């Protein structure tokens, strides 16, 4: 059944390419007459005729490893605040000002829905410890809409997932980092929060009517955000699929090449050497692996190290089989924290 589904999917992809050819206003030509095909389509059809549909699938998948392919996908789209297939709304805060802006993700890039001043904590740099009175720097998912709160927090709040995987890998602690309002009685003497971002209540209620927290994120920087270019987005997308390709084919050396040997650390504290040894044992099982990635988001990730760093978040559907029997399967959203080094994607942490 799986082979049939793969064959069907590949045929659909081939048909999509053929269907993309411009239609002639003339009457259909007979099969014996020559038709105008672009070179790429001709090569695919020729490959299919000589070697069958599996070879076409392999060729199509090879395009996903190509930076030029992804540059065409990104096109003229503005990816300053990220490349999104999943997220629909992006909050952006510069805590040095401080401010909070809300953008809607569009096909062209971003539409600004609101821009306001904000209150943040007085601490500088990254939040490191519980109670250090610092607003974190990084990229965070919104995890809940909170209501019926003490009046001090205004009409509602959006909770974030601080500390995220990268924070945990660096042993950062703390909790309860929210985007919330101002006291309902209007009496707030403090100019700083304990770590949250606070904005005007009417603006917060407006945002509540626009966004769904389940497909929204917040980017928090200190100073001007280092934005992402189309080239950087394409390099990461091509790198992501190449990483998946090495994993799926059981190429351990190729797979580990994507991990930063000097700086990689998982949230459980495992560093590169122990991780490589662990993966070598897993790869030695010689399982057949099917890995699908989809709904990809890539977001510039503010950091104190000055790296061109990004959070890559995507849906991962994984299945491993041994001797024809499924040995493990999973389906979840996965995080990779990466940076670009010499044009190549290097993984710093993952979940």
């Amino acid at each position: 059944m799986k082979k049939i589904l793969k064959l069907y999917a590949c045929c659909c992809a081939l048909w999509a390419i053929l269907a993309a050819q411009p239609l002639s206003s003339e009457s259909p030509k007979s099969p014996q007459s020559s038709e105008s095909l672009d070179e790429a389509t001709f090569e695919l059809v020729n490959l299919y005729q000589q070697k069958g549909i599996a070879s076409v699938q392999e060729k199509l998948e090879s395009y996903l490893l190509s930076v030029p392919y992804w540059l065409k996908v990104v096109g003229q789209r503005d990816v300053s605040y990220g490349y999104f297939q999943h997220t629909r709304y992006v909050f952006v805060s510069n805590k040095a000002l401080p401010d909070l802006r809300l953008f809607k993700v569009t096909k062209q890039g971003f539409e600004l829905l609101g821009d306001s001043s904000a209150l943040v904590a007085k601490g500088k740099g990254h939040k490191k410890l519980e109670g250090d009175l610092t607003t974190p720097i990084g990229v965070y998912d919104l995890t809940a809409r909170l209501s019926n709160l003490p009046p001090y927090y205004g009409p509602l709040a959006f909770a974030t997932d601080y500390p995220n995987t990268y924070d945990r890998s660096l042993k950062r602690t703390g909790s309860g980092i929210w985007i919330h309002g101002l006291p309902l009685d209007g009496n707030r003497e403090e100019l700083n929060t304990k770590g949250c971002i606070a904005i005007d209540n009417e603006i917060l209620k407006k945002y509540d009517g626009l966004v769904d927290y389940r497909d929204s994120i917040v980017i928090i920087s200190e100073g001007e955000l280092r934005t992402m270019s189309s080239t950087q987005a394409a390099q990461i997308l091509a790198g992501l699929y190449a990483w998946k390709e090495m994993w799926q084919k059981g190429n351990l050396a190729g797979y580990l090449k994507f991990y930063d040997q000097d700086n990689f650390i998982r949230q459980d504290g495992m560093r590169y050497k122990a991780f490589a040894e662990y993966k070598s044992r897993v790869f030695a099982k010689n399982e057949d692996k099917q890995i699908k990635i989809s709904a990809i988001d890539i977001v510039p990730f503010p950091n104190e190290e000055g790296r061109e760093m990004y959070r890559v978040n995507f849906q991962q559907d994984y299945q491993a089989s041994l001797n024809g029997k499924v040995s493990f399967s999973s389906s979840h959203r996965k995080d990779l924290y990466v940076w670009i080094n010499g044009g190549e994607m290097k993984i710093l942490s993952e979940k």
Side-chain angles (χ1 to χ4, degrees), residues 152-330:
Y152 181 81
Y153 296 101
L156 63 111
F158 295 114
T160 76
D161 69 342
Y162 175 88
N164 59 30
T165 298
Y166 187 68
D167 294 320
R168 293 179 189 276
S169 74
L170 299 177
K171 301 188 183 305
R172 294 173 181 157
T173 60
S175 60
I177 302 299
W178 301 346
I179 299 172
H180 64 73
L182 303 177
L184 294 178
D185 62 7
N187 182 24
R188 182 181 178 117
E189 297 180 357
E190 306 97 327
L191 296 179
N192 298 106
T193 68
K194 294 181 180 180
C196 298
I197 299 172
I199 62 173
D200 176 81
N201 290 340
E202 293 305 311
I203 295 175
L204 182 62
K205 288 192 286 187
K206 171 190 171 184
Y207 292 167
D208 183 44
L210 294 174
V211 308
D212 184 334
Y213 73 85
R214 286 162 290 201
D215 53 20
S216 303
I217 65 168
V218 59
I219 307 171
I220 309 171
S221 65
E222 187 171 61
E224 186 174 352
L225 176 68
R226 174 181 281 182
T227 55
M228 184 169 70
S229 69
S230 297
T231 297
Q232 291 161 338
Q235 288 172 337
I236 294 170
L237 286 159
L240 177 64
Y241 275 90
W243 165 81
K244 191 226 29 161
E245 181 86 350
M246 294 297 99
W247 186 11
Q248 185 164 284
K249 289 185 174 180
N251 185 331
L252 179 63
Y255 174 80
L256 291 175
K257 184 187 73 171
F258 288 96
Y259 290 82
D260 189 315
Q261 294 189 33
D262 297 323
N263 300 291
F264 175 78
I265 180 171
R266 294 199 318 189
Q267 68 175 18
D268 60 4
M270 182 182 286
R271 294 188 177 274
Y272 176 83
K273 183 178 179 181
F275 177 78
E277 291 172 352
Y278 161 68
K279 284 297 182 180
S280 67
R281 295 192 296 272
V282 174
F283 276 54
K285 296 178 182 178
N286 292 320
E287 295 171 308
D288 293 321
K289 293 179 283 290
Q290 295 297 323
I291 306 167
K292 179 183 178 183
I293 57 179
S294 59
I296 303 166
D297 288 347
I298 303 172
V299 193
F301 194 91
N303 62 96
E304 288 181 317
E305 294 76 22
R307 295 187 179 113
E308 292 181 5
M309 188 172 168
Y310 306 87
R311 187 190 78 166
V312 185
N313 175 262
F314 52 94
Q315 178 65 30
Q316 178 179 286
D317 297 299
Y318 176 91
Q319 181 174 288
S321 301
L322 192 61
N323 299 323
K325 294 183 179 180
V326 175
S327 52
F328 180 80
S329 65
S330 65

Side-chain angles (χ1 to χ4, degrees), residues 5 10 42 70 96 104 108 116 126 158 219 229 271 315:
L5 291 174
C10 194
F42 174 79
W70 286 109
K104 179 181 179 180
Q108 291 73 38
S116 71
H126 280 290
F158 295 114
I219 307 171
S229 69
R271 294 188 177 274
Q315 178 65 30

Side-chain angles (χ1 to χ4, degrees), residues 29-208:
K29 298 180 179 180
S30 66
Q32 289 77 23
S33 62
S34 62
E35 285 194 40
S36 175
L37 296 177
D38 64 44
E39 190 64 28
T41 304
F42 174 79
E43 288 183 5
L44 285 173
V45 175
N46 200 40
L47 189 62
Y48 169 67
Q49 189 273 326
Q50 293 182 13
K51 297 185 178 180
I53 197 69
S55 61
V56 176
Q57 180 180 358
E58 184 177 353
K59 181 66 175 179
L60 291 174
E61 290 180 349
S62 73
Y63 291 147
L64 298 175
L65 317 182
S66 162
V67 171
Y69 167 79
W70 286 109
L71 281 171
K72 283 184 173 291
V73 171
V74 175
Q76 300 302 311
R77 185 188 313 184
D78 178 9
V79 293
S80 299
Y81 302 115
Y83 169 85
F84 298 104
Q85 296 179 357
H86 173 72
T87 293
R88 296 178 59 207
Y89 297 95
V90 181
F91 287 97
V92 180
S93 177
N94 177 353
K95 71 174 191 170
L97 293 178
D99 69 349
L100 184 70
R101 289 166 286 161
L102 173 63
F103 295 92
K104 179 181 179 180
V105 178
T106 68
K107 291 182 178 180
Q108 291 73 38
F110 305 93
E111 175 188 351
L112 180 64
L113 299 181
D115 185 354
S116 71
S117 60
L119 298 178
V120 298
K122 65 181 180 181
K124 304 300 182 183
H126 280 290
K127 181 174 182 63
K128 295 178 175 65
L129 299 171
E130 178 81 43
D132 65 3
L133 301 179
T134 302
T135 300
I137 295 172
V139 176
Y140 301 96
D141 293 321
L142 302 189
T143 57
R145 178 192 182 278
L146 308 175
S147 57
N148 299 318
L149 298 167
Y152 181 81
Y153 296 101
L156 63 111
F158 295 114
T160 76
D161 69 342
Y162 175 88
N164 59 30
T165 298
Y166 187 68
D167 294 320
R168 293 179 189 276
S169 74
L170 299 177
K171 301 188 183 305
R172 294 173 181 157
T173 60
S175 60
I177 302 299
W178 301 346
I179 299 172
H180 64 73
L182 303 177
L184 294 178
D185 62 7
N187 182 24
R188 182 181 178 117
E189 297 180 357
E190 306 97 327
L191 296 179
N192 298 106
T193 68
K194 294 181 180 180
C196 298
I197 299 172
I199 62 173
D200 176 81
N201 290 340
E202 293 305 311
I203 295 175
L204 182 62
K205 288 192 286 187
K206 171 190 171 184
Y207 292 167
D208 183 44

